[in-house]
Amino acid sequence: MSGEESDFNQSDQNDWLEIDPQTEIISVISPDIVEPDVIPPKTEKDDKNKNKNLNLSPGSAAKRKKILRALKDGVDVSELQSFAINRGGLLTNELRKQVWPKQLGVKLSEITPKPDEDMLHGHRDYDQVVMDVNRSLKRFPPGMDDDERFALQDILVDVIMRVLVNNSELHYYQGFHDICVTFLLVVDEDVAFAIVEKLSQKHLRDFMDADMDRTKHMLNYLYPIIDKASPQLCEYMERAETGTIFCLSWLITWYGHVLNDIKHIVRLYDFFIACHQLMPIYLAAAIVLYRQDEILETECEMCFIHSLLSRIPDNLPFEQLISKAGDLYLQFPPEDLASEAEFRSQENDNRAKRQRANGVAKLHQWSWRNNIRWVSTHMPNYGRRHYLLTTAVAAVVTAALCYSTTDWGWIEWNWF
Amino acid sequence: MSSHQSIDQSREVKPSSGAVKIVEKQAQRRIFKIIVIGDSNVGKTCLTYRFCSGKFPDKTEATIGVDFREKTVDLDGEQIKLQLWDTAGQERFRKSMVQHYYRNVHAVVFVFDVTKMSSFENMPQWIEECDRHNLDKNLPRIFVGNKCDMKDKIAVNTNLAQKFADSHNMPLFETSAKDDEKANHVDAIFMTMAHKLKNAKPMMSPHMSRYTPGETREVINVRASPHHRGLQSINPNEEKTDNCAC
Ligand SMILES: Nc1nc2c(ncn2[C@@H]2O[C@H](COP(=O)(O)OP(=O)(O)OP(=O)(O)O)[C@@H](O)[C@H]2O)c(=O)[nH]1
Ligand SMILES: [Mg+2]
């Protein structure tokens, strides 16, 4: 593997040097910055009530104002990305509706119209999609009445099928529906479609090949991160032959499949949209590291560790873990892990081969050559450099947050 | 991977507390690993859930990757742990994700949906999948047709399924994860498997890393006429059989 061929994110030093991280951090995280009210409230009282209705703390209310201002000022995507990453993310669904499309460069006026029903229903993956959507009850708010839910499930099928019909190179995977439903619970049908379509051309692209080789390869980044952060834990998990399937659904559904609380899910979506496509793996590493004691107390056997980890407790400190993930990303960027991840891919392939002594079928071997495509097709259309800058800023901000405070108490949630 | 689990009585002592961890090995408990495979939506998750939790799940979801369920059962006074590996049915997962879990299994459950012909027609592919992972051909395998409760939608004729099962030396069970009246039947299917596994190798050594079936072991082949099909428990006194004639 040669240097030029490597990596998911070829962030080079120069991209970093062109920004002044210090300034960025201050402007993003300091709640003290005095700013004019750009969206003037009808009356001061109205504005206060609004914040009260949204259940926002003073810190969050200030952040909300900044986000609204950024939206009004025109699109500075990197600023929006920073808001999405740092504490509390985009705070409310009202803001997500506006920010998510901007983060992804979705133009509401240019959404491809829905193809006719025959097209949607005639697709090779249609049956599987319907089977999965029929089994997605858990993803809808508990209080929702059946008729409303049935209607939304029908729309969900359409959203998924539109993406697949419009992009014939994409293959449906079980779990894609978990991503789509999350968006559909926040934004309207057309916007959900446009957002998911964009994501499936970028962050989710590697999950949507005809096979899962690239997905597997992404999973291979997990152990190198854990190893660097805690060799003891890594050794223990590897000795148990834990594997990576316990976090497969974390990665390919962006945790939508495993978390029970939708407010945690949308918060993570804010974060992932703004970050590198491997960020869900960094978060997985953060979660595993956070649960280190529990793991080490569990018998060193794949099944026990797998079942411990595959269920994520609802009470994890998600903000702290998000920061930790950003921190790990900064400390151990993907390009530093690439060769080790590659090594693991080979190891796994070899093991699989040994296992199948007669070798009827051969696994498609991951190669970095295949991966070059990532750089060109997976970058958002506002340019690769900009994207890297954004990611860099975001990561610095995250790391700074991680170091600057341990008080996470002010974050407040708002949902429905 | 060991087939035994030591029963550790001191789980609540946190290492971080600095206390010495006292491990009382009370007994060695045998563990059997059973992998459950078959097309998406045939009811693998519901069947394993029914067996392990005693009920039909009210909200199932597509399985992504592999889920793990277990249940301890009492067989002739011996506590045996059955580990069920519930796998994802979608082809893409089958092809590249699940291999890890084929390792060291003691038995295989193939599931199809009696209301869906394609899930039956795909069975040879699943069998090939096991062969591909070099699973011993002598491992106990059973063939389960699920969703028998949907009587007016049956698409796979029992004779046809039986013929297929026979040709692969597997017993066929037709059952329903949903029908509460069949709950005993689902239990009995897994218990039959457990009996087979237990009797096949009664004195497995604690350090044996893998259950290797001996050549002398018989193959389970519970045959029955289509009119009297179903379960024949190894030990009729122990497991009340429920002859399912769907
Ligand atoms: N009528 C009936 N429906 C069933 C039965 N078992 C499962 N189902 C339904 O069939 C659907 C699929 O069941 P699952 O257990 O999720 O299927 P699976 O085989 O685990 O599917 P994957 O996880 O996608 O591989 C669900 O909607 C269940 O409610 C049964 O015995 N009778
Ligand atoms: Mg399942």
Side-chain angles (χ1 to χ4, degrees):
Chain A
M1 191 197 75
S2 83
E4 309 88 79
E5 281 181 60
S6 87
D7 199 64
F8 283 95
N9 181 358
Q10 298 189 323
S11 118
D12 49 310
Q13 290 299 316
N14 295 340
D15 283 326
W16 281 84
L17 294 174
E18 287 178 34
I19 53 156
D20 177 1
Q22 218 52 45
T23 345
E24 282 295 329
I25 293 161
I26 291 163
S27 66
V28 173
I29 66 168
S30 166
D32 309 323
I33 284 193
V34 186
E35 52 177 290
D37 272 338
V38 194
I39 303 191
K42 280 182 203 125
T43 67
E44 209 169 289
K45 209 170 135 217
D46 280 355
D47 196 44
K48 281 220 179 87
N49 282 341
K50 174 98 185 169
N51 285 335
K52 217 166 133 198
N53 291 341
L54 291 169
N55 250 334
L56 294 180
S57 68
S60 298
K63 182 175 177 182
R64 175 174 166 268
K65 244 188 236 172
K66 281 187 218 165
I67 297 175
L68 287 169
R69 191 182 78 182
L71 281 166
K72 202 169 175 234
D73 282 353
V75 180
D76 176 358
V77 176
S78 66
E79 196 185 356
L80 294 176
Q81 304 282 49
S82 303
F83 288 128
I85 289 167
N86 69 27
R87 270 193 288 184
L90 298 174
L91 305 170
T92 70
N93 286 346
E94 162 228 1
L95 291 172
R96 291 187 173 100
K97 276 184 203 173
Q98 302 176 66
V99 179
W100 279 348
K102 297 241 158 55
Q103 278 181 280
L104 288 161
V106 166
K107 297 217 171 49
L108 300 181
S109 56
E110 292 170 14
I111 297 175
T112 332
K114 191 167 170 172
D116 63 41
E117 213 167 72
D118 292 349
M119 291 279 281
L120 298 182
H121 295 186
H123 190 274
R124 59 171 188 262
D125 290 324
Y126 177 71
D127 288 347
Q128 185 73 57
V129 171
V130 171
M131 288 192 266
D132 293 347
V133 170
N134 284 343
R135 291 179 289 170
S136 63
L137 306 193
K138 228 185 104 189
R139 295 300 317 277
F140 294 88
M144 187 180 273
D145 74 45
D146 286 352
D147 289 343
E148 194 184 346
R149 198 199 60 236
F150 285 137
L152 260 183
Q153 284 181 299
D154 287 345
I155 295 174
L156 176 57
V157 171
D158 286 353
V159 167
I160 297 170
M161 295 320 302
R162 277 169 82 174
V163 175
L164 298 172
V165 165
N166 276 2
N167 301 270
S168 56
E169 75 285 4
L170 299 181
H171 296 256
Y172 174 74
Y173 63 91
Q174 288 186 293
F176 186 62
H177 70 299
D178 278 305
I179 300 241
C180 297
V181 73
T182 308
F183 288 105
L184 196 55
L185 290 172
V186 178
V187 302
D188 295 340
E189 174 175 3
D190 279 346
V191 183
F193 154 70
I195 288 177
V196 176
E197 181 175 48
K198 271 281 188 315
L199 281 177
S200 57
Q201 292 157 352
K202 295 172 186 164
H203 301 60
L204 309 177
R205 178 62 190 85
D206 280 359
F207 312 142
M208 305 191 76
D209 280 343
D211 60 34
M212 299 194 81
D213 288 352
R214 280 171 212 275
T215 306
K216 242 172 34 176
H217 184 68
M218 288 170 79
L219 289 167
N220 282 327
Y221 278 75
L222 179 71
Y223 282 93
I225 304 168
I226 297 174
D227 190 29
K228 293 217 156 45
S230 171
Q232 180 203 8
L233 181 62
C234 183
E235 188 277 327
Y236 194 80
M237 289 177 66
E238 293 204 298
R239 182 145 48 88
E241 303 190 47
T242 311
T244 49
I245 307 296
F246 73 87
C247 64
L248 171 65
S249 73
W250 305 2
L251 173 66
I252 67 181
T253 72
W254 281 6
Y255 297 77
H257 189 75
V258 275
L259 297 180
N260 292 315
D261 195 336
I262 184 78
K263 68 181 192 286
H264 294 152
I265 299 173
V266 288
R267 167 66 186 103
L268 291 180
Y269 278 39
D270 297 340
F271 177 51
F272 294 141
I273 291 172
C275 290
H276 189 277
Q277 66 168 146
L278 276 172
M279 196 51 92
I281 293 287
Y282 284 87
L283 184 70
I287 292 173
V288 170
L289 289 163
Y290 179 81
R291 302 186 72 188
Q292 164 153 328
D293 289 351
E294 274 175 279
I295 297 168
L296 294 176
E297 277 174 62
T298 302
E299 198 165 334
C300 190
E301 286 260 353
M302 183 258 275
C303 53
F304 301 118
I305 298 181
H306 175 101
S307 58
L308 172 77
L309 287 175
S310 56
R311 286 170 196 87
I312 300 185
D314 279 327
N315 59 357
L316 290 184
F318 286 100
E319 289 300 328
Q320 185 187 328
L321 292 168
I322 285 171
S323 286
K324 176 73 175 172
D327 191 18
L328 290 169
Y329 179 86
L330 269 193
Q331 281 179 278
F332 317 118
E335 60 270 24
D336 289 2
L337 306 175
S339 59
E340 212 187 315
E342 170 72 356
F343 173 74
R344 275 162 208 267
S345 287
Q346 306 271 350
E347 278 283 281
N348 291 342
D349 282 358
N350 290 341
R351 190 181 296 151
K353 268 186 222 142
R354 280 200 299 277
Q355 210 176 325
R356 288 180 234 144
N358 48 1
V360 179
K362 192 168 171 285
L363 250 186
H364 168 239
Q365 280 228 350
W366 180 272
S367 97
W368 287 106
R369 263 172 225 295
N370 297 337
N371 204 19
I372 294 179
R373 196 172 59 85
W374 193 87
V375 176
S376 52
T377 60
H378 291 237
M379 287 297 158
N381 52 7
Y382 45 88
R384 194 188 135 241
R385 221 182 118 266
H386 194 148
Y387 184 62
L388 292 173
L389 256 168
T390 308
T391 315
V393 173
V396 169
V397 168
T398 314
L401 269 168
C402 193
Y403 290 121
S404 65
T405 173
T406 48
D407 168 28
W408 307 96
W410 61 271
I411 305 148
E412 307 229 353
W413 301 115
N414 174 57
W415 178 250
F416 291 122
Chain B
M1 162 146 325
S2 155
S3 296
H4 291 71
Q5 182 200 4
S6 54
I7 298 167
D8 179 350
Q9 300 243 296
S10 59
R11 279 282 157 84
E12 63 288 352
V13 181
K14 296 248 165 16
S16 53
S17 69
V20 180
K21 202 175 176 192
I22 307 151
V23 179
E24 268 179 54
K25 284 202 175 156
Q26 242 196 359
Q28 295 287 330
R29 183 180 288 178
R30 282 206 277 173
I31 297 177
F32 293 125
K33 285 182 61 173
I34 300 171
I35 191 167
V36 182
I37 57 182
D39 276 11
S40 179
N41 212 56
V42 298
K44 299 179 294 295
T45 300
C46 292
L47 279 169
T48 53
Y49 189 89
R50 164 67 84 182
F51 175 64
C52 294
S53 316
K55 37 180 206 268
F56 186 71
D58 49 345
K59 291 177 184 173
T60 49
E61 288 183 288
T63 305
I64 297 174
V66 179
D67 280 338
F68 166 81
R69 294 192 182 83
E70 65 179 0
K71 182 174 181 174
T72 302
V73 297
D74 186 308
L75 292 184
D76 311 322
E78 186 185 346
Q79 299 280 305
I80 288 184
K81 206 170 239 189
L82 297 183
Q83 278 183 2
L84 303 183
W85 291 92
D86 170 25
T87 63
Q90 199 191 3
E91 184 168 341
R92 58 199 292 106
F93 294 107
R94 166 200 327 178
K95 289 252 161 79
S96 59
M97 283 292 168
V98 180
Q99 320 101 333
H100 194 73
Y101 298 88
Y102 280 89
R103 265 190 282 168
N104 309 327
V105 298
H106 303 118
V108 188
V109 177
F110 294 92
V111 186
F112 71 99
D113 173 351
V114 295
T115 68
K116 198 165 174 197
M117 194 54 170
S118 62
S119 73
F120 173 72
E121 287 169 345
N122 283 336
M123 271 302 142
Q125 288 183 39
W126 285 105
I127 288 177
E128 192 184 301
E129 193 70 16
C130 285
D131 295 343
R132 216 157 69 85
H133 294 102
N134 225 19
L135 282 193
D136 195 308
K137 286 217 164 66
N138 295 318
L139 287 188
R141 298 171 175 209
I142 60 172
F143 193 45
V144 176
N146 188 37
K147 305 199 190 178
C148 273
D149 55 291
M150 295 166 81
K151 292 200 167 69
D152 48 345
K153 296 235 172 76
I154 307 270
V156 182
N157 171 298
T158 299
N159 284 323
L160 191 66
Q162 185 66 53
K163 238 166 133 182
F164 181 83
D166 288 349
S167 71
H168 289 273
N169 260 337
M170 298 188 278
L172 167 72
F173 299 106
E174 290 183 326
T175 195
S176 161
K178 188 174 188 179
D179 188 349
D180 282 328
E181 289 177 4
K182 290 269 170 16
N184 290 335
H185 188 244
V186 173
D187 277 4
I189 291 171
F190 286 103
M191 292 298 277
T192 308
M193 191 78 130
H195 273 286
K196 271 294 154 191
L197 290 165
K198 175 173 179 281
N199 296 339
K201 207 84 184 178
M203 299 308 290
M204 203 186 288
S205 95
H207 300 295
M208 182 142 152
S209 64
R210 189 188 155 148
Y211 166 70
T212 327
E215 274 172 30
T216 51
R217 221 162 45 71
E218 89 234 71
V219 174
I220 325 171
N221 196 357
V222 183
R223 294 214 199 175
S225 77
H227 312 290
H228 186 77
R229 114 169 4 274
L231 192 68
Q232 296 172 358
S233 179
I234 309 303
N235 179 350
N237 301 330
E238 197 154 5
E239 197 55 56
K240 206 174 145 277
T241 61
D242 165 21
N243 287 329
C244 164
C246 301

